Amino acid sequence: YWLVMATMTMCIGLVISVMAFSTALIVEKWKVKDETGATLSSVIVITIVVTCLPLGALVDKIGQRLTLTTACSVMFTVSMAMLAFIPSGWTSIAWPIIAMVLIGIPYGLYALLMGMCYAIVLPESKVTFGMGVSQAAIIVWGAALPPNLGQIADRTKSYRWSMIVLFCLAIISVIISIITILEDRRFGIGSLQMPKPKTNHQREDADEVKKKKKKKKKKKEEEEERRRVAAAVVVVEMGEIIQVERPPSSSLPVMII
């Protein structure tokens, strides 16, 4: 749960931070009018609206929630690299459009994945509480980051260093996403990746069924072994062996009657 929360909090908080001053960033970097900058920054919202439905259908079909989360973190990292390191001479508005699309897709997908992931990793009685804790963390992170980034921009007289900070944080989000995938494979049997995952409650029930089946199988094997031991008797009559029945697996001495 804590890894999932850290992944979602980090990623959504970063997207919120970019959206807070995307217009000013575009105006500064690409030397466009305020109206054009606002229009270009709205590409984020348009991308979210357009991609939510197909991405939701894709997740329902293939699962791979953590893989998609990692892919979103990578996309966000690429967008931050574009905003931070593209030379000022590259004035084509195609660059901010691409960057805004690469921000909008992750934001829409994070919103789709968050609730389902919590429903999988938490017991049914704690899902709402867990989501509340996560939302609080996202709000705190999303509220604390933009003012600090703004201070960096004010001191450096440019948004470039703010973007570099976000780029570094985006790399950390990729690392956290990868760690979450590894931990899910190790402890969650890949449940977060399945198209139709089992919740914790369902996994516990399945484990109980497996334990009962294993116990029943072991009991049956013990009964068969007792029957084999009972049959391991050498019957001797008038000095002649009439019947020998001894299982190879039995280590008990042969009884001679």
Side-chain angles (χ1 to χ4, degrees):
Y1 165 74
W2 295 110
L3 278 173
V4 173
M5 191 190 79
T7 302
M8 296 299 174
T9 301
M10 173 70 78
C11 297
I12 296 177
L14 292 178
V15 175
I16 292 174
S17 300
V18 175
M19 293 175 67
F21 51 85
S22 58
T23 300
L25 170 65
I26 293 172
V27 170
E28 177 194 277
K29 191 171 187 65
W30 280 276
K31 310 301 180 184
V32 297
K33 296 180 179 180
D34 291 344
E35 296 81 1
T36 305
T39 301
L40 292 174
S41 66
S42 67
V43 171
I44 296 176
V45 179
I46 295 172
T47 302
I48 294 171
V49 173
V50 171
T51 59
C52 269
L53 288 177
L55 287 176
L58 178 66
V59 173
D60 287 339
K61 185 176 182 180
I62 68 171
Q64 302 300 317
R65 293 165 185 82
L66 296 181
T67 301
L68 290 173
T69 301
T70 305
C72 287
S73 299
V74 172
M75 279 191 283
F76 186 80
T77 304
V78 172
S79 69
M80 291 301 99
M82 292 175 64
L83 295 175
F85 302 116
I86 283 181
S88 57
W90 295 13
T91 56
S92 172
I93 62 171
W95 294 111
I97 291 175
I98 294 171
M100 297 301 108
V101 169
L102 292 178
I103 293 170
I105 293 175
Y107 187 82
L109 196 52
Y110 290 144
L112 294 172
L113 296 173
M114 183 171 60
M116 176 58 74
C117 288
Y118 291 146
I120 295 170
V121 301
L122 289 173
E124 186 176 352
S125 59
K126 296 183 179 179
V127 172
T128 305
F129 176 77
M131 290 187 66
V133 173
S134 178
Q135 289 288 355
I138 290 171
I139 291 171
V140 171
W141 176 239
L145 194 55
N148 289 285
L149 294 174
Q151 288 185 3
I152 294 173
D154 290 340
R155 291 181 180 180
T156 59
K157 306 300 180 182
S158 172
Y159 284 101
R160 183 171 183 270
W161 284 103
S162 299
M163 291 299 99
I164 292 175
V165 171
L166 286 175
F167 172 73
C168 296
L169 292 173
I171 293 175
I172 295 174
S173 73
V174 174
I175 296 172
I176 295 175
S177 299
I178 294 172
I179 293 173
T180 306
I181 291 176
L182 297 177
E183 290 300 299
D184 179 52
R185 290 178 179 175
R186 183 179 177 187
F187 296 107
I189 324 175
S191 294
L192 289 169
Q193 300 283 58
M194 298 176 185
K196 294 182 179 179
K198 294 180 178 179
T199 62
N200 278 346
H201 180 68
Q202 290 172 324
R203 285 200 298 270
E204 289 172 1
D205 291 343
D207 290 341
E208 287 296 325
V209 172
K210 288 180 181 178
K211 288 179 182 178
K212 289 180 180 180
K213 287 183 178 179
K214 189 174 181 181
K215 187 175 181 181
K216 186 176 180 180
K217 183 179 179 181
K218 185 177 180 181
K219 186 177 180 180
K220 185 177 180 181
E221 290 175 351
E222 290 175 351
E223 290 177 354
E224 290 179 355
E225 183 66 18
R226 281 196 292 269
R227 286 197 296 268
R228 290 174 182 173
V229 171
V233 177
V234 178
V235 180
V236 180
E237 184 177 3
M238 300 296 291
E240 181 181 356
I241 297 177
I242 297 177
Q243 182 181 3
V244 178
E245 293 183 5
R246 175 175 179 172
S249 61
S250 177
S251 60
L252 295 178
V254 175
M255 298 174 62
I256 302 179
I257 299 178

